Amino acid sequence: MGDPHQLEQVFLNIVNNALDAMVEDRGQGVLRVRVCKKDEQVCVEFSDSGPGIKDPKRIFDPFYTTKEVGKGTGLGLSICYGIVKEHGGEILARNREEGGATIEVRLLASDKPAMVETTPPKRRESLLAGRVLLVEDEAAVLDLERDVLAGAGAEVTTSTSAADMQQRLREGAFDVAVMNGSMAGGCNVKEIYEWIAGNCPGQEKGLLLTFSSVTDEETRTFLQEHGVPALAKPFEVADLIEQVRALSQREGKTPKTPTDTEEKSEDKRLQRAREHRCFPVRVSEPVSAESINHRVHRGARGDRT
């Protein structure tokens, strides 16, 4: 059985991307949605009259986007790819001869009749809970990591410099701090760790560092001696969630179950997203590395997502 919440995200994101492409190209356009059964699969095709896709083979790669800086992370269709693969299906992209593009989702058909829900389905427990401070000076990476962590259930506060990070830590406690360990003009790893340990005792136990290049031997030794986890880019989206989850659960901490108020808030957020044609990333389950095989990395930009 397909997960209705996850598939809703897939279809919303495809529709939003098609609308954005047509509006940016000519200010208007036509989007046709076709559903049919082919062999043992249910096929849903989204065909638009936009400018087409520059490189259909790369459309599902993370960070692959031609949107202006700040208007897209290139994460949306990459997550769609993972969700569809988790459902045992396929998602394909191609340009149409008459112009425009088609995104096709293929899912295994079931012989069982569709179940009519008499009561709203209970939302699954979030993967993450608690407050996360995300410190990153590269805008695209910051947007990506924020979307992933917030979508998994964390309350994310962002910061773009070591000085701002220090101010935010002084103002309040966080369950986890995820920080780029090699930010330009920032402190080195040892200075970061010692400042946090000295000014926010205990917070250093929730520190996760990310690196875009191989660290020097001195830094690696320091991280090992103090038990500070680190991720090297490119890293799997699932690995980021797993590391943050492990840190948030340290010393017996466990993720909280969403309350009725939180569920209502989530419903309102989804409604606002539909009204404003934005796509909220909400991760219901960890996506396996085997099924996605997509990595978070730096700099790859190209076509719309």
Side-chain angles (χ1 to χ4, degrees), residues 2 4 39 78 99 101 133 137 190 202 260 266 268 293-294:
D39 299 325
S78 177
L133 177 61
D137 60 350
K190 183 178 179 182
D260 291 341
E266 173 69 6
K268 290 180 180 179
N293 195 28
H294 280 331

Side-chain angles (χ1 to χ4, degrees), residues 3-301:
D3 184 308
H5 299 299
Q6 289 187 331
L7 293 178
E8 178 186 44
Q9 290 180 25
V10 171
F11 298 146
L12 276 176
N13 193 37
I14 294 173
V15 169
N16 288 341
N17 274 281
L19 294 177
D20 287 341
M22 292 186 292
V23 170
E24 291 175 6
D25 184 43
R26 291 181 294 181
Q28 61 182 356
V30 177
L31 173 63
R32 292 184 174 89
V33 181
R34 175 173 176 264
V35 182
C36 63
K37 184 177 179 180
K38 297 179 183 178
D39 299 325
E40 300 301 318
Q41 293 181 315
V42 175
C43 300
V44 185
E45 294 183 350
F46 301 82
S47 299
D48 65 59
S49 59
I53 303 171
K54 183 178 180 181
D55 189 349
K57 294 181 180 179
R58 295 187 57 203
I59 192 69
F60 302 111
D61 291 348
F63 286 161
Y64 192 68
T65 177
T66 52
K67 291 182 179 179
E68 297 178 12
V69 175
K71 291 190 176 181
T73 63
L75 174 63
L77 288 181
S78 177
I79 283 187
C80 289
Y81 179 93
I83 291 174
V84 172
K85 285 296 183 180
E86 284 289 311
H87 281 75
E90 296 179 280
I91 182 168
L92 309 168
R94 63 179 181 274
N95 287 318
R96 304 163 61 211
E97 292 184 1
E98 61 271 36
T102 294
I103 302 290
E104 181 179 3
V105 177
R106 300 176 182 175
L107 299 169
L108 294 176
S110 173
D111 295 330
K112 298 180 181 180
M115 296 178 61
V116 179
E117 295 181 346
T118 56
T119 58
K122 183 178 180 181
R123 294 195 182 278
R124 300 182 181 182
E125 181 179 329
S126 297
L127 286 171
L128 301 176
R131 304 185 68 208
V132 175
L133 177 61
L134 178 59
V135 188
E136 172 63 60
D137 60 350
E138 188 171 349
V141 178
L142 180 71
D143 289 344
L144 168 61
E145 294 178 351
R146 179 194 59 213
D147 287 350
V148 169
L149 296 175
E155 179 186 340
V156 182
T157 299
T158 59
S159 177
T160 57
S161 69
D164 184 63
M165 172 205 70
Q166 293 172 347
Q167 180 61 33
R168 292 185 181 276
L169 287 174
R170 290 190 186 100
E171 293 173 350
F174 292 84
D175 297 285
V176 180
V178 181
M179 183 175 185
N180 180 350
S182 53
M183 291 198 305
C187 307
N188 61 41
V189 169
K190 183 178 179 182
E191 291 171 338
I192 293 170
Y193 183 90
E194 291 180 345
W195 186 93
I196 295 176
N199 294 272
C200 310
Q203 182 66 70
E204 76 279 4
K205 298 182 183 299
L207 179 63
L208 170 64
L209 296 174
T210 62
F211 296 94
S212 57
S213 60
V214 178
T215 57
D216 58 86
E217 184 175 349
E218 181 181 354
T219 298
R220 292 197 299 271
T221 300
F222 182 85
L223 295 177
Q224 292 172 358
E225 290 178 348
H226 292 79
V228 180
L231 288 174
K233 302 170 187 175
F235 55 75
E236 302 285 352
V237 167
D239 289 341
L240 175 61
I241 295 175
E242 182 181 353
Q243 288 278 14
V244 172
R245 183 183 176 91
L247 288 173
S248 66
Q249 292 180 341
R250 68 189 187 278
E251 299 178 358
K253 289 185 179 179
T254 55
K256 63 179 180 179
T257 301
T259 63
D260 291 341
T261 301
E262 290 170 330
E263 289 187 0
K264 290 179 181 178
S265 176
E266 173 69 6
D267 290 336
K268 290 180 180 179
R269 189 171 74 95
L270 287 171
Q271 181 60 35
R272 287 196 302 271
R274 296 188 186 96
E275 293 172 353
H276 296 284
R277 292 177 42 241
C278 63
F279 174 56
V281 178
R282 180 175 181 273
V283 182
S284 299
E285 291 182 344
V287 183
S288 64
E290 291 77 12
S291 64
I292 299 182
N293 195 28
H294 280 331
R295 298 177 179 272
V296 177
H297 55 87
R298 297 168 66 97
R301 294 182 179 273

